[in-house]
Amino acid sequence: MNNLKFDDFNLEKCADGLLPAIIQDAVSLKVLMLGYMNREAFEKTLATGKVTFFSRTRRQLWTKGETSGNFLDVVEMYADCDGDTLLVKAHPVGPTCHRGTEACFDTPDYDGFVRKLSALIKRRHEEMPDNSYTTRLFIKGVKKIAQKVGEEAVESAIEAVDGNRSRFIYEAADLMYHYLVLLEQMDCDITDIEKELQFRHS
């Protein structure tokens, strides 16, 4: 990312210029917030792995979460095509917004939920907590999980043929959940499927 143009976004003559930094949840892909970085904030973010901004009101660096504990742990960063905006994919530790909400943008709560569910299923597989239906599926193994996927697929198809939209959504949700469990059982995730579909498309 050597083509970043900090000096091209010089808001109110801030020293060394500013770059808008869009923060995105690395798991759900939900957009969490927008902040600004100068070169020093960018370099501190790289060095610490925690998102650091330049406060336009206080005229100083601030690491997100330094007072609240709600840090943003960096996963990946990308510059846009002109080098004057950053996209930061991060793991949020707690709510991102000062209001105590997940994000500063009031998009629907279900945005990115399938990916959150996939991450939760992965944790269930790792921790295998008691009294968890997902744990019981993993204990029973791939044959049982695959059987449930088949059953839910048939039930979804029946509701589709019958033209029952609400029942189809219900059954399709069951299908999606069990499909995510099967992906985890096979050591795969949504990204693997996306890559395969993208490869076929190209």
Side-chain angles (χ1 to χ4, degrees), residues 13-66:
K13 298 182 180 180
C14 167
D16 201 24
L18 294 176
L19 288 178
I22 302 163
I23 313 301
Q24 183 181 41
D25 189 309
V27 174
S28 70
L29 305 185
K30 186 182 183 76
V31 176
L32 301 176
M33 67 173 293
L34 171 70
Y36 295 88
M37 293 184 186
N38 63 1
R39 193 178 303 277
E40 186 180 1
F42 174 74
E43 290 174 352
K44 185 174 181 180
T45 297
L46 288 178
T48 64
K50 298 188 182 302
V51 175
T52 297
F53 298 109
F54 181 86
S55 171
R56 294 168 295 163
T57 54
R58 292 177 293 167
R59 290 291 188 267
Q60 65 183 41
L61 298 187
W62 66 283
T63 298
K64 181 73 176 71
E66 60 191 359

Side-chain angles (χ1 to χ4, degrees), residues 1 3-5 8 78-87:
M1 289 187 288
N3 62 334
L4 296 179
K5 302 173 183 175
D8 286 358
Y78 299 91
D80 77 342
C81 57
D82 294 319
D84 57 10
T85 304
L86 280 172
L87 173 64

Side-chain angles (χ1 to χ4, degrees), residues 44-200:
K44 185 174 181 180
T45 297
L46 288 178
T48 64
K50 298 188 182 302
V51 175
T52 297
F53 298 109
F54 181 86
S55 171
R56 294 168 295 163
T57 54
R58 292 177 293 167
R59 290 291 188 267
Q60 65 183 41
L61 298 187
W62 66 283
T63 298
K64 181 73 176 71
E66 60 191 359
T67 56
S68 66
N70 299 327
F71 293 100
L72 293 166
D73 295 330
V74 176
V75 176
E76 298 172 312
M77 293 199 292
Y78 299 91
D80 77 342
C81 57
D82 294 319
D84 57 10
T85 304
L86 280 172
L87 173 64
V88 182
K89 292 188 175 185
H91 289 312
V93 180
T96 297
C97 184
H98 70 280
R99 301 171 300 174
T101 55
E102 179 184 13
C104 296
F105 300 98
D106 294 326
T107 53
D109 289 340
Y110 54 76
D111 275 6
F113 183 76
V114 170
R115 288 176 178 272
K116 292 180 190 175
L117 179 59
S118 179
L120 175 60
I121 289 169
K122 183 176 182 63
R123 290 199 300 275
R124 291 285 190 268
H125 197 195
E126 293 168 349
E127 299 167 3
M128 299 292 278
D130 295 334
N131 302 317
S132 165
Y133 174 68
T134 306
T135 296
R136 292 198 295 273
L137 284 173
F138 284 128
I139 290 173
K140 291 177 180 177
V142 66
K143 289 185 179 180
K144 180 61 177 178
I145 299 169
Q147 178 187 339
K148 289 296 295 181
V149 170
E151 290 172 358
E152 300 301 344
V154 170
E155 291 173 6
S156 298
I158 289 172
E159 298 300 342
V161 171
D162 287 346
N164 191 334
R165 184 176 184 276
S166 62
R167 287 297 306 174
F168 171 75
I169 291 173
Y170 183 88
E171 298 297 346
D174 280 348
L175 172 60
M176 179 65 74
Y177 161 75
H178 287 95
Y179 176 65
L180 291 174
V181 174
L182 184 59
L183 285 178
E184 170 61 24
Q185 177 68 32
M186 298 302 297
D187 193 27
C188 301
D189 61 23
I190 296 173
T191 302
D192 294 306
I193 308 306
E194 288 176 331
K195 288 178 180 177
E196 175 63 20
L197 290 171
Q198 193 277 334
F199 173 75
R200 295 181 189 185

